[in-house]
Amino acid sequence: MNCLEFAEKLQLTPLCEKDGNIEIEGVYIGDLLSIVMAKAKKNYAWITIQTHINIVAVAELLELACIIVVENMEVDNDTLLKARELKIPIFKTSESAYQVACRMAELGVK
Amino acid sequence: MADSLLKRYTYDVMANDFMAAGKSSSAIKSNLKSLGIDSDILRRIAIISYEAELNIVIHSFGGKLHCDIYENKIVIISEDAGPGIEDVDLAMKEGYSTASDSVRELGFGAGMGLPNIKKYSDHLEINSSSTGTKIVATINL
């Protein structure tokens, strides 16, 4: 299932949908960028509460499928501009990282 | 001539410029990608260059990031203008960080920078003094 299909099923708010047709191959949850760099892999969805511009750099370098910002954290405008420029999909939700992860597991992403 | 330098890319990295942080690493990655470097190697290089770049942004007075391409290896070199790493052995320990609280709130300063560089390099050299730190990370092809 791709990012956009997931976002629809999980009722995530799309903030940047460019290249949202990438298939999600895994999920990583984390807020410390160095640990995400070491652990998340290509085509993973990244669930985080971080919202500043550097999350886009991390997602681009790792070729992540998308970023899912949880707990209704406000995403910086600079982050969205960069995400649109680099075609990194970003979604937002008021749910917790755990809730989103559980829903994703139910939908078959392990 | 396996050891002759084929190409060097150099990028200036500004201290405290979190807006641009990661830009040099992205440029290195796209340059190497266009050369057809294997994706697992690219991932390791991306991690190493990102951590080296962020070290310059967070901890130094500014510096440069180089990507040297050889026939049989890629070498990522970071050079900064100080103030140096006080205790390199301590800085190599996972979780040890001297980053400020404000930087940590942004998700940096996990104390994984140098350990990640070491983990993903085939060879690593660090030389540090008050006038600057030089990190040379080699990835074999």
Side-chain angles (χ1 to χ4, degrees), chain A:
Chain A
M1 199 175 289
N2 72 35
C3 298
L4 294 176
E5 290 165 338
F6 257 107
E8 202 182 327
K9 285 198 186 300
L10 270 62
Q11 292 179 300
L12 307 176
T13 306
L15 302 179
C16 173
E17 296 176 88
K18 289 196 173 175
D19 267 7
N21 54 355
I22 297 167
E23 294 289 311
I24 296 176
E25 293 175 9
V27 182
Y28 192 77
I29 304 174
D31 304 316
L32 291 173
L33 304 185
S34 284
I35 296 177
V36 176
M37 276 304 289
K39 294 290 180 72
K41 299 205 170 91
K42 186 175 178 176
N43 296 336
Y44 272 33
W46 174 21
I47 302 175
T48 187
I49 56 164
Q50 294 293 351
T51 59
H52 63 96
I53 191 166
N54 219 254
I55 60 173
V56 180
V58 169
E60 194 214 4
L61 279 166
L62 294 175
E63 298 177 49
L64 301 181
C66 65
I67 302 170
I68 302 172
V69 175
V70 293
E71 307 286 4
N72 223 10
M73 301 298 284
E74 201 58 47
V75 180
D76 301 348
N77 202 36
D78 292 330
T79 306
L80 296 180
L81 289 174
K82 195 75 184 167
R84 283 174 197 138
E85 180 194 330
L86 298 177
K87 298 181 180 168
I88 305 292
I90 300 186
F91 302 97
K92 180 176 161 170
T93 175
S94 58
E95 293 194 330
S96 71
Y98 178 70
Q99 286 169 318
V100 172
C102 288
R103 300 277 309 277
M104 294 186 85
E106 283 166 15
L107 291 168
V109 180
K110 303 289 178 186

